[in-house]
Amino acid sequence: MFPSLSLRQPNPIAAVTDNNNPLLSSDPLPPLRIAIIGFGNYGQFLAGTLISQGHILFAHSRSDHSSSALRLGVSYFTDLHDLCERHPDVVLLCTSILSIENVLKTLPFQRLRRNTLFVDVLSVKEFAKTLLLQYLPEDFDILCTHPMFGPQSVNSNNGWRGLKFVYDKVRIREDRLRISRCESFLEVFEREGCKMVEMSCADHDKFAAESQFITHTLGRVLGSLNLQSTPINTKGYEALLDLAENICGDSFDLYYGLFVYNKNSLEMIERIDLAFEALRKELFSRLHGVVRLQSFEGEASKVHVFPNGYENDPSLDSVRSEDVSLKYEYNPQLSGSVNDGSRLKIGIVGFGNFGQFLAKTMVKQSHTVLAYSRTNYTDEAAKLGVSYFSDLDDLFEEHPEVILLCTSILSTEKVLKSLPFQRLRRSTLFVDVLSVKEFPRNLFVQVLPQDFDILCTHPMFGPESGKNGWNNLSFVFDKVRIGLDDRRKSRCDSFLDIFAREGCCMVEMSCAEHDWHAAGSQFITHTAGRLLEKLSLESTPVDTKGYETLLKLVDNTAGDSFDLYYGLFLYNPNAMEQLERFHLAFESLKKQLFGRLHSQHSHELTKLPSLKLTTL
């Protein structure tokens, strides 16, 4: 499908040493004399590895980096003529995208040997290739490369192994020494374990517009939102925080260069714009439909009355406190093993994927689990050791101590109002696991008989993120209404112990506080995932670690129904503000890009000679 793409075959003489050092050749080639032009962060980053492999390095930069060069063992030159007169085998251009043309114009090519190899490491390749062909003498060799990593990604990866190095032998003369020199340079990256990908500059830019440019765009949008870590971070949100930190560590010049000098980037900006508008339209059209339906049914005019004056109960007020969360302490010495006194009879209403996911652990801990769902899950329940009921009255007459609602956000109110409360003991504990908290809290207080206890919870994980265990995953809870007698308190603690025993990070937090944090973390994570899903992103041969993170995010969020995302939007009062912040951040980024493009064009026009009118 891509005739210009190939994977470089490993060097047959390479061997791995016993002490886990990088790949070493059994017959090492003589060191290369490499001149690095542009000795900033990236030039120094590459220099460290080049020196460690025994190559001889020279360097020059506009800024004085002589002390850094001395520390690395690199010969630093303040004068380009002096450097070029040292006749390096390779000139490695580590300049920015925006400055490379000016640098090429100032190089004293006459001081170099006529067969010198020029290598660039820019993030755009057609632009670099065109400039090198335009400015370099015909005798010079040209190798266009793009290491798909930097200092940050290497640190998180613990080295270069498995990271992609893309290259295109644009012009390598058919001479044994020239071919050998090019191979020796590529060997630098192969010896470190890089995945070597030979690809045309045009193909690189096409793939990079989808992977690298989209990654940088989303990273910059998230960075401008000033996202903060919260007490209820999900794994997906933590990945977005890391992405924003990594991307915003790069200069805006790099991002602007990716935009201006990759002809495919404008199309990607337009696709992101359309995808985000489509996502907002989908949300708002569903909201419009719900409001219209309520209006026709007269629901909009109904006043919800909270029984027993709970609407005025100061203990239920949703007030943001400075102390964001309280940690629930699980003491295994006090709790000991699960005994007859701490075993619970739990009735799960809603036995889909998430209900089954929770039931498996509850059964493992020797609790008695009963289940009911609209869909028949008799077989699944039997496999898990759960008693399944096709009639809610029958289940409730078993008098479970806990009713665990595992319904969707959108169906919770309907399900709750249909429950035969009269079949239950009057002291029953009701628990929900919804991703929004103020909505079920208010609903429980409104609908449940006043004698029932209420515990609002949110396991910040699911079947995918919790498939390898729940250790260190967050479990948020709010004891909305728990009776004062010891038996009720003990029952609530026994339920919470189910999650504490599995190693969950137990976070006690008001429902209002949860929703405030969740709008900035969970809703933003799902919005980013849904937006990327609409772009139909696919893995490319030049995936970066950041792009792989985005693909994983799409897989995780796409596995959830749109109803879940819509529920997060509709029933979290903070979600609308976050959606608009996301929209404004993207609009601001576009304005910054196009504003700078306009300024650059205006500046170029001022350099053109003024046109004079000629009188015939």
Side-chain angles (χ1 to χ4, degrees):
M1 184 176 177
F2 305 110
S4 60
L5 166 64
S6 67
L7 296 179
R8 179 180 170 86
Q9 296 299 314
N11 190 323
I13 62 172
V16 182
T17 61
D18 291 335
N19 59 356
N20 292 322
N21 282 335
L23 291 176
L24 298 174
S25 170
S26 59
D27 185 19
L29 295 168
L32 291 170
R33 295 162 58 86
I34 303 172
I36 298 179
I37 309 296
F39 203 60
N41 288 337
Y42 201 76
Q44 294 172 36
F45 164 66
L46 294 181
T49 295
L50 293 168
I51 286 289
S52 72
Q53 290 192 16
H55 299 290
I56 301 165
L57 262 62
F58 317 117
H60 167 82
S61 204
R62 286 180 304 177
S63 303
D64 183 10
H65 292 296
S66 54
S67 58
S68 299
L70 180 64
R71 177 173 48 82
L72 289 168
V74 175
S75 301
Y76 192 80
F77 293 82
T78 57
D79 189 299
L80 263 176
H81 289 263
D82 292 338
L83 183 150
C84 290
E85 284 177 352
R86 298 299 295 268
H87 289 172
D89 304 304
V90 179
V91 173
L92 180 59
L93 296 172
C94 293
T95 61
S96 70
I97 299 173
L98 301 184
S99 66
I100 187 170
E101 185 167 13
N102 285 334
V103 169
L104 284 172
K105 286 178 179 178
T106 61
L107 285 178
F109 298 122
Q110 71 278 10
R111 305 289 182 194
L112 295 165
R113 285 200 176 98
R114 288 169 295 170
N115 66 349
T116 305
L117 170 63
F118 267 72
V119 183
D120 85 286
V121 291
L122 294 189
S123 302
V124 290
K125 297 270 58 86
E126 281 195 280
F127 170 66
K129 172 185 173 183
T130 301
L131 284 182
L132 290 171
L133 287 172
Q134 176 183 346
Y135 287 105
L136 293 185
E138 290 187 2
D139 289 332
F140 287 9
D141 286 350
I142 299 172
L143 178 66
C144 285
T145 79
H146 183 195
M148 305 293 293
F149 51 87
Q152 190 70 29
S153 52
V154 163
N155 286 339
S156 61
N157 192 66
N158 296 318
W160 298 7
R161 183 166 302 279
L163 301 177
K164 294 183 177 69
F165 182 88
V166 183
Y167 65 96
D168 184 5
K169 298 176 182 177
V170 175
R171 189 171 69 200
I172 306 296
R173 300 296 182 189
E174 293 295 327
D175 174 273
R176 187 179 62 82
L177 290 178
R178 292 192 181 208
I179 293 172
S180 174
R181 177 181 59 191
C182 178
E183 293 300 317
S184 294
F185 183 82
L186 293 174
E187 181 82 4
V188 169
F189 300 87
E190 189 173 347
R191 286 161 70 96
E192 297 299 318
C194 288
K195 185 176 181 181
M196 308 296 287
V197 183
E198 185 168 9
M199 174 186 292
S200 74
C201 291
D203 275 348
H204 168 279
D205 284 3
K206 181 176 67 175
F207 289 125
E210 180 167 303
S211 58
Q212 192 180 25
F213 183 69
I214 282 182
T215 305
H216 276 258
T217 298
L218 184 60
R220 291 211 163 262
V221 169
L222 295 171
S224 66
L225 292 176
N226 296 317
L227 301 178
Q228 303 293 323
S229 182
T230 77
I232 58 173
N233 287 356
T234 60
K235 294 296 183 185
Y237 183 62
E238 288 176 353
L240 291 186
L241 289 177
D242 289 341
L243 176 66
E245 183 181 357
N246 291 343
I247 295 301
C248 292
D250 295 323
S251 68
F252 188 80
D253 279 356
L254 171 61
Y255 178 60
Y256 179 69
L258 294 174
F259 172 65
V260 173
Y261 296 111
N262 187 332
K263 65 182 182 182
N264 306 285
S265 294
L266 181 58
E267 178 191 346
M268 296 312 302
I269 277 280
E270 291 172 347
R271 282 181 61 195
I272 296 171
D273 205 356
L274 291 172
F276 189 58
E277 284 305 309
L279 184 61
R280 294 175 79 225
K281 183 178 180 181
E282 193 170 359
L283 283 174
F284 294 149
S285 63
R286 283 192 69 166
L287 179 61
H288 180 263
V290 169
V291 172
R292 271 192 339 114
L293 182 62
Q294 286 182 342
S295 297
F296 283 129
E297 293 179 351
E299 290 291 331
S301 62
K302 290 183 182 177
V303 178
H304 292 296
V305 179
F306 289 81
N308 309 312
Y310 275 107
E311 74 279 17
N312 297 317
D313 185 345
S315 68
L316 298 177
D317 283 348
S318 303
V319 179
R320 232 187 129 216
S321 62
E322 201 167 299
D323 183 14
V324 171
S325 64
L326 300 171
K327 297 292 183 185
Y328 172 88
E329 297 294 340
Y330 167 64
N331 189 331
Q333 291 182 333
L334 292 178
S335 296
S337 59
V338 178
N339 53 47
D340 291 338
S342 60
R343 287 184 187 139
L344 295 171
K345 183 187 287 188
I346 303 170
I348 298 179
V349 178
F351 202 60
N353 288 338
F354 198 74
Q356 294 172 36
F357 168 65
L358 295 180
K360 183 177 180 181
T361 295
M362 292 172 177
V363 170
K364 182 187 76 173
Q365 292 189 13
S366 302
H367 298 289
T368 302
V369 180
L370 323 173
Y372 165 84
S373 204
R374 288 180 302 177
T375 307
N376 186 355
Y377 289 114
T378 305
D379 293 341
E380 289 79 359
K383 291 176 185 175
L384 292 169
V386 172
S387 301
Y388 190 80
F389 293 79
S390 57
D391 188 298
L392 259 177
D393 289 86
D394 292 340
L395 186 151
F396 278 27
E397 285 178 351
E398 293 292 319
H399 288 173
E401 298 157 279
V402 180
I403 295 295
L404 179 60
L405 287 182
C406 293
T407 58
S408 71
I409 299 173
L410 300 184
S411 65
T412 295
E413 183 171 8
K414 184 178 179 180
V415 169
L416 195 62
K417 289 180 176 179
S418 70
L419 296 180
F421 300 125
Q422 72 278 8
R423 306 291 183 195
L424 295 167
R425 285 198 176 100
R426 288 169 295 170
S427 62
T428 305
L429 169 63
F430 266 72
V431 183
D432 86 287
V433 289
L434 295 188
S435 302
V436 291
K437 294 273 58 83
E438 283 194 281
F439 167 66
R441 168 193 174 279
N442 293 337
L443 194 61
F444 277 9
V445 171
Q446 173 197 348
V447 176
L448 292 180
Q450 63 179 353
D451 291 327
F452 285 10
D453 286 352
I454 299 172
L455 177 66
C456 286
T457 79
H458 182 194
M460 304 294 294
F461 51 90
E464 185 62 31
S465 53
K467 64 184 178 183
N468 296 318
W470 301 358
N471 194 44
N472 290 325
L473 300 177
S474 295
F475 181 88
V476 183
F477 65 96
D478 184 5
K479 297 177 181 178
V480 175
R481 189 171 73 201
I482 304 297
L484 296 178
D485 65 86
D486 291 340
R487 187 177 58 82
R488 291 192 178 205
K489 290 179 181 178
S490 176
R491 177 181 60 190
C492 178
D493 288 341
S494 292
F495 182 83
L496 292 172
D497 275 356
I498 293 171
F499 299 88
R501 287 172 184 277
E502 298 299 318
C504 288
C505 179
M506 306 296 287
V507 183
E508 185 168 10
M509 176 185 291
S510 75
C511 292
E513 192 70 33
H514 168 279
D515 283 2
W516 187 81
H517 285 302
S521 58
Q522 191 183 25
F523 181 70
I524 286 290
T525 304
H526 276 260
T527 298
R530 291 280 166 186
L531 171 63
L532 295 168
E533 182 190 10
K534 287 187 175 296
L535 295 174
S536 301
L537 301 181
E538 295 181 351
S539 181
T540 77
V542 296
D543 288 357
T544 59
K545 290 296 180 183
Y547 185 63
E548 288 173 354
T549 297
L550 296 188
L551 292 178
K552 194 176 297 183
L553 177 64
V554 173
D555 287 343
N556 289 343
T557 53
D560 297 320
S561 68
F562 189 82
D563 278 356
L564 170 61
Y565 177 58
Y566 177 65
L568 294 174
F569 169 69
L570 186 61
Y571 293 110
N572 188 328
N574 308 287
M576 175 67 84
E577 178 189 349
Q578 293 298 334
L579 187 67
E580 287 309 302
R581 286 186 66 216
F582 197 99
H583 175 63
L584 290 173
F586 181 52
E587 290 300 313
S588 176
L589 183 62
K590 288 195 300 178
K591 185 177 180 181
Q592 193 175 0
L593 279 177
F594 291 115
R596 185 162 174 179
L597 189 63
H598 181 268
S599 298
Q600 182 179 344
H601 180 61
S602 299
H603 179 68
E604 293 297 327
L605 287 177
T606 60
K607 293 199 233 176
L608 295 175
S610 57
L611 298 175
K612 297 180 179 180
L613 292 176
T614 305
T615 306
L616 296 176

